[in-house]
Amino acid sequence: MTKEKNYHFDSKCVHAGIGDYEFGPVVPPIYQTSTFKFENAKHGADLFKGEREGYIYTRMLNPTVQAMENAIAELEGGYKGLGCASGMAAISTTFFALLKSGDHLVCSKAVYGPTNTLINTIISQLGITATFVEASQTEEVKSAIKKNTKVIYIETPGNPTLSIADLTAISEIAHENNAKLVVDNTFMSPALQQPIQFGTDVVLHSMTKFLNGHADVVAGIIVVKDEETYKHFRKTLNQLGGVIDPFNAFLVHRGIKTLSLRMQRHCENALVIAEWLEQHPKIEWVRYPGLKNDPDYMIGQKQHTGPGGMITFELKGGFEAGEKVMNSVKFCQLAVSLGGVESLIQHPASMTHLTMGKEARSIAGITEGLVRLSVGIEKVDDIIADLKQAFDQID
Ligand code: LCS
């Protein structure tokens, strides 16, 4: 498949990254080995010098991992991918690759809680400063730029507020200022949004979510656009060591075969649920990029082909009502994470965004009663029936 790049996206999901292997298997074998034999001393030396292509040691490169990396790079329209042990490993490796002491980072306010915490702790202890902005307001991004800004880091839609940033406009700001735009594309997946098309330099994912799609793997990926950046990132990842293992790479590669189909169903279900929530008397507000009255609807239309499977909403009864709903759901499961085939519900203020602290949450628009729903691919009627009975428990 890597030989022929002109197939439709849906077909690429099934075939991308798959090559020819001994005995003719139709899926890449799992090369569950930590190391690879050299033919002789010269072969080993040539591999280390980079004068011959081949495998040395799984932390450096592994064929099963590489097949998955090639697949996702192809789906994102990038040059190559780097499989990481988790989404956080992809994020920290990217920061280490692009930032050094004295640099400045602009980051969207609505990011996964531990990303915010990483920036405010380990990254800031290294002498790297950061400004958090409401990235849906392009002017805020522009005003935050300093002479030493090297990276603009965006999640769009942001976790959990689902605010959307204008990738084309922000990539222009980044490039006018010699900075790189890094986009966490976890919430959309390449099936719905390919940030490289809009000028993004580095795309990363928690593959734990939609890419794998089956809630049975923790993994991440970084996709870059050119060979020079790839070599630099590969060296950084090899030194930091947060690589994916072959079995998880195999599972993700298997998962992406159904990515297009799954995303289609996630979007269909989520729109029906968001519209149902919107008219429900116990709901204060709903955010879903597919709702025509969503404040970021128009920006979203420019850069994604579907609004995704994530919904956030606030119950009129605030925190207590949210807690009651979460204790009352029977079909949707009360769990963090997202992007799997099963519907999951959670409360960011006490769970995924707890470590940020109340003040940072309030700045990021994460209200105390905000509930996040990761809409699965089940029959939508079952999800709505469950929410309905849970809402009936609230006074
Ligand atoms: N980026 C985004 C947008 C995420 O939502 C997450 C995890 C990560 C990166 C980190 O990925 P990981 O290391 O877990 O693979 N988000 C989670 C969430 O919202 N609930 O639980 C995990």
Side-chain angles (χ1 to χ4, degrees), residues 226-339:
D226 59 77
E227 188 178 3
E228 195 187 335
T229 314
Y230 172 70
K231 282 186 175 161
H232 173 62
F233 270 70
R234 180 60 74 188
K235 210 186 290 174
T236 310
L237 178 60
N238 186 32
Q239 284 166 356
L240 292 173
V243 292
I244 191 171
D245 73 87
F247 185 59
N248 276 345
F250 168 85
L251 286 176
V252 173
H253 205 162
R254 184 171 74 155
I256 60 170
K257 287 173 197 282
T258 56
L259 179 68
S260 237
L261 278 176
R262 286 187 281 108
M263 293 317 294
Q264 200 181 325
R265 181 65 168 252
H266 283 298
C267 290
E268 283 165 16
N269 278 359
L271 183 60
V272 174
I273 295 168
E275 284 173 347
W276 178 80
L277 286 168
E278 233 186 352
Q279 54 70 48
H280 197 284
K282 290 183 180 165
I283 299 295
E284 184 74 39
W285 51 257
V286 185
R287 282 219 63 180
Y288 178 62
L291 292 174
K292 290 209 168 68
N293 59 4
D294 188 88
D296 297 334
Y297 180 78
M298 290 315 288
I299 315 178
Q301 289 301 103
K302 291 202 297 185
Q303 61 196 33
H304 60 231
T305 54
M310 302 301 297
I311 301 175
T312 53
F313 57 92
E314 176 98 8
L315 288 151
K316 285 199 174 133
F319 184 87
E320 276 175 31
E323 199 172 43
K324 187 101 193 226
V325 165
M326 279 178 290
N327 286 330
S328 309
V329 286
K330 295 183 179 129
F331 182 77
C332 300
Q333 300 178 68
L334 176 57
V336 296
S337 201
L338 56 106

Side-chain angles (χ1 to χ4, degrees), residues 338-373:
L338 56 106
V341 289
E342 56 287 283
S343 294
L344 300 179
I345 196 162
Q346 70 110 2
H347 176 231
S350 67
M351 296 170 189
T352 48
H353 293 70
L354 174 79
T355 58
M356 282 171 73
K358 197 168 176 175
E359 200 187 326
R361 277 199 303 277
S362 138
I363 293 169
I366 306 169
T367 46
E368 297 299 288
L370 185 150
V371 173
R372 191 187 74 186
L373 180 64

